[in-house]
Amino acid sequence: MSFDGVFTHTMVNELAPLLTGGRVSRISQPYPNELILTVRAKRHNQPLLLSAHPSYARLQITEIPFVNPDKPTNFTMTLRKYLDGAILKSLKQIDNDRVVHLTFTARNEIGDQENLVLIIEMMGRHSNIILVNQADQRIIDTIKHVAHDQNRYRLLLPGATYIAPPKQDVVDPFTATQPLYRTLPATADVFVQAKQLQQTYQGLGFDTALELATRLTQAADQDQAWHDFFQVIDQAPQPTITHDPSKKQLQFSPCPFVSQPGTQTIYSSCSELLDHFYRDKAQLDRVHQQGGDLIRLVQNELKKNKKKYRKLEQTLAASDKADTYRVKGEILTTYLQQVTRGMTSITLPNFYADEAPIEISLSNQLSPSKNAQKYFTKYQKLKNSVHYVNEQLATTQQEIDYFQGILTQIDLAAPKDLQDIQAELRQQGYLRTKSKQKKQRPKLSQPETFYASDGTKILVGKNNLQNDRLTLKTARKTDIWLHAKDIPGSHVIVSSDSPSETTLVEAANLAAYYSKARLSATVPVDSVMVKRVHKPNGAKPGFVIYTGQKTITVTPDEQLVQKLSQLPK
């Protein structure tokens, strides 16, 4: 489901009692399209996320930690100037649209009280966050500047007058007094009916419209079905994520939808639901945004090494013909008196194949003995190349494995982990070091900490530098080390010399989840004491060898991973 007007209605109902009357204590902009206002209300700090992301635009309280940039943006500085310490008077949805107004009372530079409105418009690629002076509707600043050449209807720039998005000729389903759904053309197709509902009522995403159409079709009393649906959403929502295995996707809704087949999980709040739903999607998107240059570098290196590997395989295949050249050279030497200068080919009996005739190409510029010698030279060259080519194949395969592992780590990384990966590629000589960077030693992030059901600490390295430090320096020799078998992934350390079977299975699940095979049904995971894990001389970061391992097969479970990330009670 998209974050439509109906879900916005539910979210505003959830947030208003929590935030109204609160004071803005902190303002940060961790990512280009996302803003976090920390509102101190009812003795709690509520981190309110406002996202104008083109794919993940939303409004929620988030518990996901964010890392702020070293230098605040101009928009952040503007908001701090006007909203720092401001009181949130109201939080209101406009009609049933994906537009929410947060009205604040603040003091200006000369101490006079003024009302400011922070508007979030959650409309796909047109999403925006706009600070407006309520008195004259003048725009103070926006997170995205939109000029006339981008939007002829309205100008979204500092100093311009704020114009609301154009209104549609539709009805708010929460305030509608007439059952307009009864006047729609009769149809047995719920998809057609859903489209009709979307064209009649405001703020219905297709999933919501399809759910309404399904309920109206199945109900004996349509008026009661309509009333019950909107009453639940307005007064007693049950935020739900539905997992449909056949489509391999998740859907979220403000209450369980009968039109969505699959396993349904109900959450205590819409904010908790969105944290769960967007945790990996939004993080992966941020990583790809911030690490775009890094990803391109790794992909280019991977492409280059795969091409090199194919060429080496071709060279190795050609070396299989070495004996053919030797045989032709020996036959020419044996029948040298039958060969004369100027011949371009000759057919002679092959004494290695029961005297069967064999045609041998010749150079008309060379003497008979030189032609024979040419075949022996080709034979020797190919024979000598086999050892070198095999060495190069092994080295190139190591490079391919290394860069595939780096790509896996980027997919599993949080934005804060990119610095470690960048530092590693710089150390390995794949990334050029800038003069300013030579003076700065990068501060490496720490491995992720998890806790087994019995409270045992489990550490997970998220990149090669973390893996090396965790396994070779931090872990005790008697701790247990785990890694997905023959698959790029994280090093996992159980901080115990005799963990329970349950703890080992939970740690194996972490190793499987933080690997390239996280979406697989079954993943083999090796476990062994740290003292049996060694790093070969000259090996790349993250590469180790081990002996005496036991193998556990597990199915990666995201819900278990989230559970293990919480402190034991």
Side-chain angles (χ1 to χ4, degrees):
M1 175 182 178
S2 59
F3 201 110
D4 65 0
V6 172
F7 198 91
T8 304
H9 180 97
T10 312
M11 179 59 77
V12 169
N13 283 352
E14 175 180 303
L15 295 178
L18 294 173
L19 300 175
T20 303
R23 182 184 298 274
V24 177
S25 61
R26 189 180 180 191
I27 301 170
S28 56
Q29 189 180 342
Y31 304 105
N33 297 320
E34 295 179 333
L35 180 72
I36 292 184
L37 298 182
T38 302
V39 180
R40 179 73 178 175
K42 298 178 176 60
R43 298 184 179 180
H44 288 91
N45 288 329
Q46 305 285 8
L48 178 65
L49 169 65
L50 294 87
S51 174
H53 191 284
S55 301
Y56 312 127
R58 64 197 187 279
L59 174 74
Q60 65 166 112
I61 289 172
T62 182
E63 298 301 328
I64 299 175
F66 292 92
V67 178
N68 291 319
D70 296 331
K71 184 179 179 181
T73 64
N74 291 336
F75 185 63
T76 305
M77 296 301 291
T78 300
L79 291 183
R80 288 175 181 174
K81 175 183 176 181
Y82 286 91
L83 294 182
D84 192 23
I87 303 297
L88 179 60
K89 287 177 58 180
S90 66
L91 191 148
K92 180 183 178 184
Q93 180 186 19
I94 304 305
D95 299 324
N96 194 44
D97 208 349
R98 294 165 293 169
V99 178
V100 177
H101 286 198
L102 292 84
T103 304
F104 295 89
T105 299
R107 296 283 178 181
N108 60 21
E109 294 175 343
I110 60 174
D112 293 338
Q113 185 171 289
E114 62 181 357
N115 290 334
L116 302 169
V117 184
L118 190 64
I119 303 169
I120 176 168
E121 300 177 350
M122 298 166 283
M123 299 177 173
R125 62 189 181 92
H126 300 294
S127 299
N128 213 330
I129 301 172
I130 308 155
L131 181 64
V132 177
N133 187 310
Q134 191 181 53
D136 57 9
Q137 291 297 295
R138 180 179 57 84
I139 295 174
I140 299 172
D141 203 358
T142 67
I143 202 168
K144 298 178 188 176
H145 290 183
V146 180
H148 273 310
D149 60 341
Q150 297 170 282
N151 189 329
R152 294 181 181 180
Y153 178 77
R154 58 185 188 145
L155 186 68
L156 296 177
L157 291 174
T161 300
Y162 174 74
I163 299 174
K167 284 191 175 183
Q168 297 175 319
D169 187 19
V170 286
V171 179
D172 184 345
F174 288 96
T175 59
T177 56
Q178 298 296 324
L180 298 179
Y181 52 86
R182 285 188 171 276
T183 65
L184 297 177
T187 175
D189 190 331
V190 290
F191 291 95
V192 174
Q193 190 176 356
K195 285 290 184 182
Q196 293 173 350
L197 289 169
Q198 277 189 295
Q199 294 166 5
T200 306
Y201 292 98
Q202 185 179 30
L204 300 186
F206 184 74
D207 290 343
T208 306
L210 182 62
E211 176 68 12
L212 264 175
T214 303
R215 292 190 181 209
L216 292 173
T217 302
Q218 295 176 353
D221 185 343
Q222 288 190 333
D223 291 343
Q224 189 63 44
W226 179 276
H227 174 269
D228 291 346
F229 178 74
F230 284 102
Q231 185 179 45
V232 167
I233 290 174
D234 194 38
Q235 299 178 16
Q238 294 178 292
T240 304
I241 286 182
T242 303
H243 177 222
D244 185 355
S246 64
K247 297 181 181 178
K248 296 183 179 180
Q249 63 181 11
L250 301 176
Q251 300 283 349
F252 67 87
S253 54
C255 66
F257 277 8
V258 297
S259 59
Q260 292 179 352
T263 305
Q264 295 186 326
T265 305
I266 296 176
Y267 292 81
S268 61
S269 68
C270 292
S271 290
E272 183 189 0
L273 175 150
L274 292 177
D275 264 356
H276 180 87
F277 186 84
Y278 285 117
R279 182 185 304 270
D280 291 337
K281 291 183 179 181
Q283 178 164 288
L284 182 60
D285 181 80
R286 294 175 189 128
V287 167
H288 281 203
Q289 276 187 348
Q290 296 186 8
D293 292 341
L294 212 59
I295 293 169
R296 280 189 292 274
L297 169 71
V298 175
Q299 286 176 336
N300 287 338
E301 289 290 338
L302 194 56
K303 183 179 178 181
K304 182 174 69 177
N305 278 283
K306 284 183 175 179
K307 183 178 180 181
K308 180 180 177 181
Y309 193 89
R310 288 194 297 270
K311 287 186 175 181
L312 288 169
E313 282 186 317
Q314 291 170 2
T315 303
L316 193 63
S319 69
D320 291 340
K321 300 178 181 178
D323 275 346
T324 304
Y325 293 125
R326 177 183 59 81
V327 168
K328 288 182 177 180
E330 290 182 357
I331 292 172
L332 277 176
T333 303
T334 303
Y335 296 100
L336 204 57
Q337 70 280 5
Q338 297 183 28
V339 184
T340 58
R341 182 186 286 269
M343 297 176 69
T344 57
S345 67
I346 188 171
T347 301
L348 297 169
N350 183 357
F351 42 75
Y352 286 105
D354 298 328
E355 304 298 326
I358 181 172
E359 184 177 358
I360 303 174
S361 298
L362 301 171
S363 171
N364 58 6
Q365 302 296 318
L366 300 177
S367 66
S369 60
K370 290 285 187 180
N371 269 297
Q373 187 59 44
K374 183 179 179 181
Y375 278 104
F376 285 123
T377 302
K378 283 185 177 180
Y379 161 71
Q380 198 61 46
K381 184 178 179 181
L382 287 174
K383 184 181 176 183
N384 293 340
S385 73
V386 171
H387 178 69
Y388 171 78
V389 170
N390 281 326
E391 282 186 343
Q392 287 295 304
L393 277 171
T395 303
T396 306
Q397 184 61 55
Q398 288 174 2
E399 291 285 295
I400 291 171
D401 293 342
Y402 174 70
F403 286 113
Q404 285 178 336
I406 293 288
L407 281 180
T408 299
Q409 289 169 10
I410 292 174
D411 283 343
L412 299 174
K416 62 185 175 65
D417 298 323
L418 293 177
Q419 188 177 357
D420 291 4
I421 298 172
Q422 194 175 53
E424 176 190 341
L425 292 173
R426 192 170 285 120
Q427 288 175 7
Q428 296 299 307
Y430 297 110
L431 194 60
R432 185 176 298 175
T433 303
K434 297 179 181 178
S435 56
K436 291 183 181 179
Q437 293 169 331
K438 291 180 182 177
K439 301 175 184 178
Q440 300 175 352
R441 188 172 182 178
K443 184 179 179 181
L444 302 181
S445 58
Q446 297 300 312
E448 296 287 333
T449 302
F450 297 85
Y451 295 91
S453 300
D454 60 4
T456 304
K457 182 185 287 188
I458 304 173
L459 299 173
V460 178
K462 297 287 287 298
N463 54 66
N464 288 329
L465 296 185
Q466 282 187 15
N467 287 337
D468 275 356
R469 188 169 67 246
L470 176 61
T471 300
L472 305 174
K473 295 183 179 180
T474 306
R476 296 171 300 183
K477 297 296 182 185
T478 54
D479 288 344
I480 302 300
W481 179 90
L482 299 97
H483 192 283
K485 185 178 181 67
D486 301 327
I487 303 168
S490 296
H491 291 203
V492 175
I493 297 293
V494 179
S495 300
S496 171
D497 55 359
S498 55
S500 67
E501 196 65 32
T502 300
T503 298
L504 271 179
V505 170
E506 290 173 341
N509 208 294
L510 287 169
Y513 183 79
Y514 288 103
S515 77
K516 191 176 181 180
R518 72 187 304 177
L519 299 178
S520 301
T522 56
V523 181
V525 177
D526 287 339
S527 67
V528 68
M529 270 196 176
V530 171
K531 66 182 179 181
R532 294 183 176 274
V533 181
H534 306 284
K535 188 176 188 67
N537 291 333
K540 287 188 177 293
F543 182 80
V544 293
I545 55 175
Y546 50 92
T547 56
Q549 70 273 17
K550 295 180 180 178
T551 303
I552 308 169
T553 301
V554 295
T555 300
D557 184 344
E558 184 179 0
Q559 290 186 348
L560 176 60
V561 171
Q562 297 301 328
K563 178 183 174 183
L564 298 178
S565 66
Q566 300 170 4
L567 288 169
K569 296 180 181 179

